[in-house]
Amino acid sequence: MEKLFRLNEHGTTVKRELVAGVTTFLTMAYILAVNPNMLGQTGMPAGGVFTATALAAAIATLVMAFSANLPVALAPGMGLNAFFTYTVVMGMGYSWQLALTAVFLEGIVFIVLSFFKVREAIIDAIPANLKKAIAVGIGLFITIIGLADAGIVSSKMGTIIAFGEIKGPALVAVIGLVITVILYACKVPASILLGIIITTIIGIPFGVTTVAEGFKPFAAPSAPLFWKFDFSQMLTLKFFTVFFTFFFVDIFDTVGTLVGVTTEAGIIGSDGKIPRVKQALLSDAVGTVTGAMLGTSTVTSYVESTAGVASGGRTGLTSVFTGLLFLIALFLSPLFLLVPSAATAPALIMVGYFMMKSVTGIDFKDPTEGIPAFICIIVMPFSYSISEGIVWGLLTYVIMKLVTGKFKQISIVTWVLFVIFLLRFIFK
């Protein structure tokens, strides 16, 4: 373990990495329930999608563990699966086979770009203050995910967002949050993981955690949807639009997540560079290709990895444990599906608190640095998109530097991204 993951160098232990790996898995295991349900609306067999989701997540996460040695887990991305279902298939009228083809080709392009360090150059082009803002924005983003999933907040007539009725799942989540905060404040080891377990148990008498009569924890996995591609329309303009959207959203969701997780873990370099970023991006690309071949939407790095980092995860060993749990989940789906969103919500909210710490390192005294960082932070949660936060933050950064005569601080790659982002709005 020491030779593979350099645990002592990162100030961690096998036990701590195990707890972190389990925590990350529990906070993102919802994808195993959500993805089959969502993609199933396209006509894809839910059982096959479940198997594809678990296998793709396991393979991509293990590749991340052994090639990049980072505590980052991967799985089919939320948002990307919604675009796959509601826009490409149900909206544009394409078959799910054609949508899978776009995802597959996107992954192939990502592999090529990873070898030529194009995606790495994009990450390096993001200014240091914006990288810190990305971490803060992700913290607020996943906090809102946790609050909304538990029903603590919701939209009401006349308001954009407000407190929901604190009963049922919302009440269980609030109780779980109080317990988790107390455990953390008292410095109880694995406080986040314990919070998830305790909240799941508390949810039983509330009817939030459902245990069916005759419950059996084991179930054989269905066969994946292997190589279900349709290349017949890949040269059309509409197909290119689908491909480019998958490509664009994935690349910046991954960039944002890697920056956020490594910042929270304290392993991002003093120069703002992510260690072994080439291998990390390659893991994402391999996961996307594998996922498409097995029958699921785009695989990407998960912001929920920060929950594991908050529990002490610092190396790829965290990802090993998470990946192995995805494999086990193939046979224990009834068991892990007992964990309700009300039980994972407190963990996500706590992670938001942890990631807010990066805000103290942002230079708000310089408006050309502080304002772009602020825009990046607020756009992520309010647009419900990591990639949109990066886009608007970087656009603001270039404009602020340009109008104040500090254009020499803008790198060539940043200029290229600026132009691409502008074209995206013009031709959207």
Side-chain angles (χ1 to χ4, degrees), residues 19 23 26-27 152 170-202 306-308 310-311 339-354:
V19 170
T23 301
L26 288 177
T27 57
I152 297 175
L171 179 58
V172 171
V174 170
I175 294 172
L177 179 60
V178 172
I179 292 171
T180 305
V181 167
I182 292 173
L183 290 173
Y184 178 76
C186 294
K187 298 182 179 180
V188 176
S191 56
I192 294 179
L193 177 58
L194 285 175
I196 292 174
I197 295 172
I198 294 171
T199 307
T200 299
I201 295 172
I202 290 174
T306 51
S311 295
V339 180
S341 58
T344 57
L348 298 179
I349 295 167
M350 282 297 293
V351 169
Y353 157 71
F354 296 136

Side-chain angles (χ1 to χ4, degrees), residues 103-154:
V103 173
F104 175 71
L105 294 177
E106 169 213 350
I108 296 295
V109 172
F110 273 164
I111 290 177
V112 175
L113 293 182
S114 297
F115 278 116
F116 287 99
K117 298 185 177 181
V118 175
R119 298 172 82 190
E120 188 175 343
I122 292 173
I123 292 181
D124 291 341
I126 299 175
N129 280 296
L130 269 184
K131 285 179 179 174
K132 295 170 186 174
I134 288 171
V136 177
I138 289 175
L140 293 176
F141 175 65
I142 62 177
T143 296
I144 285 188
I145 290 176
L147 291 169
D149 285 351
I152 297 175
V153 298
S154 62

Side-chain angles (χ1 to χ4, degrees), residues 18 59 81 83 110 181 207 219 226 232 258-259 276 360 366 374 394 404 421:
L18 171 61
I59 292 169
N81 54 6
F83 176 75
F110 273 164
V181 167
F226 187 72
S232 63
L258 287 176
V259 170
R276 300 171 297 282
T360 60
D366 181 354
F374 171 69
L394 194 137
T404 55
F421 292 163

Side-chain angles (χ1 to χ4, degrees), residues 315-329:
T315 73
L317 186 55
T318 293
S319 299
V320 169
F321 289 124
T322 302
L324 291 177
L325 284 171
F326 270 112
L327 290 177
I328 294 173

Side-chain angles (χ1 to χ4, degrees), residues 349-424:
I349 295 167
M350 282 297 293
V351 169
Y353 157 71
F354 296 136
M355 298 193 73
M356 277 297 294
K357 297 174 185 177
S358 296
V359 77
T360 60
I362 299 174
D363 182 12
F364 285 109
K365 293 180 180 179
D366 181 354
T368 67
E369 296 285 341
I371 292 176
F374 171 69
I375 294 297
C376 177
I377 290 170
I378 62 171
V379 169
M380 281 192 194
F382 294 135
S383 69
Y384 221 66
S385 170
I386 295 172
S387 58
E388 289 295 335
I390 297 174
V391 168
W392 284 97
L394 194 137
L395 285 173
T396 307
Y397 176 85
V398 172
I399 292 171
M400 292 295 293
K401 293 295 182 182
L402 190 61
V403 300
T404 55
K406 297 180 180 180
F407 53 86
K408 290 184 179 180
Q409 297 179 17
I410 307 172
S411 69
I412 295 176
V413 178
T414 304
W415 272 116
V416 172
L417 291 176
F418 178 77
V419 173
I420 291 173
F421 292 163
L422 282 182
L423 291 175
R424 171 176 174 262

